[in-house]
PDB file of all heavy atoms in Angstrom:
ATOM      1  N   ALA G 161     -11.873 -13.721   7.928  1.00 93.00           N
ATOM      2  CA  ALA G 161     -13.053 -13.599   8.810  1.00 93.00           C
ATOM      3  C   ALA G 161     -13.092 -12.084   9.255  1.00 93.00           C
ATOM      4  O   ALA G 161     -14.140 -11.544   9.565  1.00 93.00           O
ATOM      5  CB  ALA G 161     -13.047 -14.382  10.004  1.00 93.00           C
ATOM      6  N   THR G 162     -11.955 -11.297   9.189  1.00 92.00           N
ATOM      7  CA  THR G 162     -11.767 -10.047   9.860  1.00 92.00           C
ATOM      8  C   THR G 162     -11.823  -8.790   8.827  1.00 92.00           C
ATOM      9  O   THR G 162     -12.065  -7.827   9.074  1.00 92.00           O
ATOM     10  CB  THR G 162     -10.424  -9.895  10.711  1.00 92.00           C
ATOM     11  OG1 THR G 162     -10.395 -10.893  11.497  1.00 92.00           O
ATOM     12  CG2 THR G 162     -10.420  -8.625  11.483  1.00 92.00           C
ATOM     13  N   ASN G 163     -11.523  -9.255   7.522  1.00 87.00           N
ATOM     14  CA  ASN G 163     -11.274  -8.312   6.369  1.00 87.00           C
ATOM     15  C   ASN G 163     -12.147  -7.036   6.567  1.00 87.00           C
ATOM     16  O   ASN G 163     -11.522  -5.932   6.621  1.00 87.00           O
ATOM     17  CB  ASN G 163     -11.715  -9.053   5.051  1.00 87.00           C
ATOM     18  CG  ASN G 163     -10.555  -9.640   4.461  1.00 87.00           C
ATOM     19  OD1 ASN G 163      -9.273  -9.487   4.790  1.00 87.00           O
ATOM     20  ND2 ASN G 163     -10.780 -10.511   3.427  1.00 87.00           N
ATOM     21  N   PHE G 164     -13.431  -7.072   6.500  1.00 81.00           N
ATOM     22  CA  PHE G 164     -14.298  -6.049   6.560  1.00 81.00           C
ATOM     23  C   PHE G 164     -14.940  -5.568   7.745  1.00 81.00           C
ATOM     24  O   PHE G 164     -15.580  -4.602   7.899  1.00 81.00           O
ATOM     25  CB  PHE G 164     -15.150  -5.968   5.286  1.00 81.00           C
ATOM     26  CG  PHE G 164     -14.440  -6.264   4.004  1.00 81.00           C
ATOM     27  CD1 PHE G 164     -14.686  -7.441   3.280  1.00 81.00           C
ATOM     28  CD2 PHE G 164     -13.685  -5.209   3.434  1.00 81.00           C
ATOM     29  CE1 PHE G 164     -14.003  -7.802   2.189  1.00 81.00           C
ATOM     30  CE2 PHE G 164     -13.117  -5.498   2.143  1.00 81.00           C
ATOM     31  CZ  PHE G 164     -13.250  -6.710   1.522  1.00 81.00           C
ATOM     32  N   VAL G 165     -14.694  -6.292   8.834  1.00 87.00           N
ATOM     33  CA  VAL G 165     -15.061  -6.153  10.124  1.00 87.00           C
ATOM     34  C   VAL G 165     -14.181  -5.207  10.876  1.00 87.00           C
ATOM     35  O   VAL G 165     -14.561  -4.053  11.383  1.00 87.00           O
ATOM     36  CB  VAL G 165     -15.351  -7.375  10.957  1.00 87.00           C
ATOM     37  CG1 VAL G 165     -15.746  -7.055  12.313  1.00 87.00           C
ATOM     38  CG2 VAL G 165     -16.299  -8.211  10.242  1.00 87.00           C
ATOM     39  N   ASP G 166     -12.826  -5.441  10.664  1.00 87.00           N
ATOM     40  CA  ASP G 166     -11.841  -4.679  11.479  1.00 87.00           C
ATOM     41  C   ASP G 166     -10.572  -4.635  10.376  1.00 87.00           C
ATOM     42  O   ASP G 166      -9.645  -5.564  10.437  1.00 87.00           O
ATOM     43  CB  ASP G 166     -11.428  -5.208  12.622  1.00 87.00           C
ATOM     44  CG  ASP G 166     -10.384  -4.281  13.448  1.00 87.00           C
ATOM     45  OD1 ASP G 166      -9.938  -3.389  12.793  1.00 87.00           O
ATOM     46  OD2 ASP G 166     -10.297  -4.479  14.621  1.00 87.00           O
ATOM     47  N   PRO G 167     -10.522  -3.795   9.326  1.00 85.00           N
ATOM     48  CA  PRO G 167      -9.440  -3.945   8.247  1.00 85.00           C
ATOM     49  C   PRO G 167      -8.138  -3.676   8.892  1.00 85.00           C
ATOM     50  O   PRO G 167      -7.171  -4.365   8.435  1.00 85.00           O
ATOM     51  CB  PRO G 167      -9.934  -2.636   7.317  1.00 85.00           C
ATOM     52  CG  PRO G 167     -11.372  -2.446   7.624  1.00 85.00           C
ATOM     53  CD  PRO G 167     -11.652  -2.890   8.992  1.00 85.00           C
ATOM     54  N   GLN G 168      -7.906  -2.874   9.967  1.00 81.00           N
ATOM     55  CA  GLN G 168      -6.560  -2.756  10.397  1.00 81.00           C
ATOM     56  C   GLN G 168      -6.006  -4.077  11.158  1.00 81.00           C
ATOM     57  O   GLN G 168      -4.970  -4.453  10.972  1.00 81.00           O
ATOM     58  CB  GLN G 168      -6.630  -1.607  11.397  1.00 81.00           C
ATOM     59  CG  GLN G 168      -5.043  -1.439  11.929  1.00 81.00           C
ATOM     60  CD  GLN G 168      -4.882  -0.106  12.701  1.00 81.00           C
ATOM     61  OE1 GLN G 168      -5.653   0.831  12.397  1.00 81.00           O
ATOM     62  NE2 GLN G 168      -4.037  -0.152  13.738  1.00 81.00           N
ATOM     63  N   ALA G 169      -7.040  -4.712  11.738  1.00 87.00           N
ATOM     64  CA  ALA G 169      -6.708  -6.047  12.373  1.00 87.00           C
ATOM     65  C   ALA G 169      -6.341  -6.986  11.456  1.00 87.00           C
ATOM     66  O   ALA G 169      -5.382  -7.833  11.466  1.00 87.00           O
ATOM     67  CB  ALA G 169      -7.835  -6.548  13.250  1.00 87.00           C
ATOM     68  N   ALA G 170      -7.080  -7.000  10.151  1.00 90.00           N
ATOM     69  CA  ALA G 170      -6.784  -8.016   9.116  1.00 90.00           C
ATOM     70  C   ALA G 170      -5.582  -7.690   8.559  1.00 90.00           C
ATOM     71  O   ALA G 170      -4.750  -8.593   8.174  1.00 90.00           O
ATOM     72  CB  ALA G 170      -7.992  -7.820   8.160  1.00 90.00           C
ATOM     73  N   ILE G 171      -5.210  -6.378   8.355  1.00 86.00           N
ATOM     74  CA  ILE G 171      -3.783  -6.001   7.733  1.00 86.00           C
ATOM     75  C   ILE G 171      -2.646  -6.631   8.693  1.00 86.00           C
ATOM     76  O   ILE G 171      -1.800  -7.081   8.182  1.00 86.00           O
ATOM     77  CB  ILE G 171      -3.788  -4.407   7.715  1.00 86.00           C
ATOM     78  CG1 ILE G 171      -4.661  -4.059   6.456  1.00 86.00           C
ATOM     79  CG2 ILE G 171      -2.378  -4.052   7.389  1.00 86.00           C
ATOM     80  CD1 ILE G 171      -4.756  -2.447   6.308  1.00 86.00           C
ATOM     81  N   GLU G 172      -2.806  -6.487   9.882  1.00 84.00           N
ATOM     82  CA  GLU G 172      -1.877  -6.962  10.873  1.00 84.00           C
ATOM     83  C   GLU G 172      -1.784  -8.521  10.732  1.00 84.00           C
ATOM     84  O   GLU G 172      -0.575  -9.043  10.674  1.00 84.00           O
ATOM     85  CB  GLU G 172      -2.153  -6.577  12.234  1.00 84.00           C
ATOM     86  CG  GLU G 172      -2.160  -5.028  12.466  1.00 84.00           C
ATOM     87  CD  GLU G 172      -2.665  -4.665  13.999  1.00 84.00           C
ATOM     88  OE1 GLU G 172      -2.815  -5.705  14.824  1.00 84.00           O
ATOM     89  OE2 GLU G 172      -2.797  -3.585  14.209  1.00 84.00           O
ATOM     90  N   LEU G 173      -2.818  -9.190  10.515  1.00 90.00           N
ATOM     91  CA  LEU G 173      -2.778 -10.558  10.245  1.00 90.00           C
ATOM     92  C   LEU G 173      -2.059 -11.048   9.100  1.00 90.00           C
ATOM     93  O   LEU G 173      -1.324 -11.985   8.919  1.00 90.00           O
ATOM     94  CB  LEU G 173      -4.166 -11.256  10.432  1.00 90.00           C
ATOM     95  CG  LEU G 173      -4.894 -11.210  11.733  1.00 90.00           C
ATOM     96  CD1 LEU G 173      -6.386 -11.534  11.642  1.00 90.00           C
ATOM     97  CD2 LEU G 173      -4.094 -12.098  12.628  1.00 90.00           C
ATOM     98  N   TYR G 174      -2.585 -10.381   7.889  1.00 91.00           N
ATOM     99  CA  TYR G 174      -1.819 -10.541   6.659  1.00 91.00           C
ATOM    100  C   TYR G 174      -0.319 -10.364   6.761  1.00 91.00           C
ATOM    101  O   TYR G 174       0.458 -10.996   6.046  1.00 91.00           O
ATOM    102  CB  TYR G 174      -2.456  -9.799   5.456  1.00 91.00           C
ATOM    103  CG  TYR G 174      -3.788 -10.159   5.138  1.00 91.00           C
ATOM    104  CD1 TYR G 174      -4.867  -9.427   5.149  1.00 91.00           C
ATOM    105  CD2 TYR G 174      -4.030 -11.469   4.697  1.00 91.00           C
ATOM    106  CE1 TYR G 174      -6.131  -9.857   4.729  1.00 91.00           C
ATOM    107  CE2 TYR G 174      -5.359 -12.000   4.255  1.00 91.00           C
ATOM    108  CZ  TYR G 174      -6.344 -11.087   4.262  1.00 91.00           C
ATOM    109  OH  TYR G 174      -7.547 -11.640   3.898  1.00 91.00           O
TER     110      TYR G 174
END
Side-chain angles (χ1 to χ4, degrees):
T162 312
N163 267 348
F164 302 111
V165 178
D166 187 347
Q168 183 166 331
I171 285 171
E172 293 175 11
L173 290 168
Y174 286 125

